Amino acid sequence: MVEWITSPGLVPYPEAVAEMERRAAAIHAGTEDEAIWLLEHPPLYTAGTSAKIEDLREPERFPVFDSKRGGQYTYHGPGQRVVYVMLDLNRRGRDVRAFVEALENWVISTLDTFNIKGEIRPGRVGVWVTRPEKAPLPDGSPREDKIAAIGIRLRKWVSFHGISINVEPDLSHFDGIVPCGITGHGVTSLVDLGLPVTMNDLDVALRATFDDALPMPEDGGASEPQ
């Protein structure tokens, strides 16, 4: 069983990390179920394990937290759905690349329910949307905006951290960092793309597409011996 948890209001980042670590340990011990945690944070920046200090353009703008998840600098804030994914890869296959691809496909399937074509790009983590209405890049390639970020951490093959999808955040807040270390492309949101989507609309779509993207193993998820 996967428990779905939705937190109202804005959850402080340190509290979220502490709860994820606690839950991941309990999942590994077999005392609690896997979980998907849906929440929002107050405005903040997080630095992943690959973050470069020069990509933090405005270090005084919002609180900055070191995060041991993969990736570089990411913004979190109101209007962005953060999806913390606490799943047991001991039961789901110990394949990190396949797991990240499954998360990407989950986001893409969710966006498809709103008729948005999300895509992945080699060398660029996350999910992207082509913006043909914007001026192309200097090399003539089409401009693309990031709509979702992905960064996970594993402890004893239980995942935590996860996904963030932009519903209606203040996109100017991303200006304080180089998002995920990528220049030349921008950031977008569901509302920025002209869709009057609410947070609840997105949550419903995430639940509807989850089982196909991340199905429970046929054996029912019996853990391997540790």
Side-chain angles (χ1 to χ4, degrees), residues 75-219:
Y75 166 76
H76 294 311
Q80 180 190 73
R81 175 52 87 210
V82 175
V83 186
Y84 285 139
V85 180
M86 291 164 278
L87 300 176
D88 189 354
L89 271 63
N90 290 297
R91 305 190 295 173
R92 294 172 176 270
R94 296 182 180 183
D95 187 329
V96 177
R97 179 173 296 181
F99 181 58
V100 171
E101 288 178 356
L103 295 176
E104 291 171 335
N105 289 331
W106 183 26
V107 174
I108 290 169
S109 296
T110 299
L111 295 175
D112 187 59
T113 66
F114 303 107
N115 295 314
I116 294 175
K117 185 180 181 182
E119 300 178 280
I120 57 174
R121 293 288 183 262
R124 282 195 260 141
V125 178
V127 178
W128 299 80
V129 177
T130 303
R131 303 300 299 272
E133 74 277 14
K134 291 188 174 183
L137 294 173
D139 64 2
S141 60
R143 195 170 295 274
E144 298 174 338
D145 287 346
K146 191 171 191 175
I147 194 167
I150 297 174
I152 64 165
R153 185 180 178 193
L154 297 177
R155 180 176 292 165
K156 297 181 179 178
W157 290 100
V158 177
S159 69
F160 52 114
H161 296 282
I163 300 166
S164 59
I165 302 174
N166 298 328
V167 178
E168 193 179 8
D170 185 336
L171 296 178
S172 71
H173 289 179
F174 288 89
D175 296 342
I177 58 172
V178 178
C180 299
I182 297 167
T183 58
H185 296 285
V187 181
T188 190
S189 69
L190 292 165
V191 172
D192 181 55
L193 292 170
L195 297 169
V197 176
T198 68
M199 200 69 72
N200 184 67
D201 293 334
L202 179 64
D203 292 349
V204 170
L206 284 165
R207 293 194 71 155
T209 54
F210 176 80
D211 287 337
D212 284 341
L214 291 145
M216 179 60 71
E218 292 182 2
D219 65 358

Side-chain angles (χ1 to χ4, degrees), residues 22-118:
R22 186 205 66 77
R23 183 67 177 245
I27 291 168
H28 181 262
T31 58
E32 294 190 41
D33 291 332
E34 295 177 310
I36 303 295
W37 188 10
L38 307 174
L39 54 88
E40 293 174 80
H41 285 306
L44 59 93
Y45 298 127
T46 65
T49 55
S50 302
K52 300 175 182 177
I53 190 62
E54 60 268 26
D55 288 342
L56 182 59
R57 291 169 167 166
E58 299 179 32
E60 304 301 324
R61 187 169 187 178
F62 297 125
V64 181
F65 296 93
D66 287 329
S67 171
K68 294 182 173 60
R69 59 158 176 81
Q72 303 188 41
Y73 280 105
T74 299
Y75 166 76
H76 294 311
Q80 180 190 73
R81 175 52 87 210
V82 175
V83 186
Y84 285 139
V85 180
M86 291 164 278
L87 300 176
D88 189 354
L89 271 63
N90 290 297
R91 305 190 295 173
R92 294 172 176 270
R94 296 182 180 183
D95 187 329
V96 177
R97 179 173 296 181
F99 181 58
V100 171
E101 288 178 356
L103 295 176
E104 291 171 335
N105 289 331
W106 183 26
V107 174
I108 290 169
S109 296
T110 299
L111 295 175
D112 187 59
T113 66
F114 303 107
N115 295 314
I116 294 175
K117 185 180 181 182

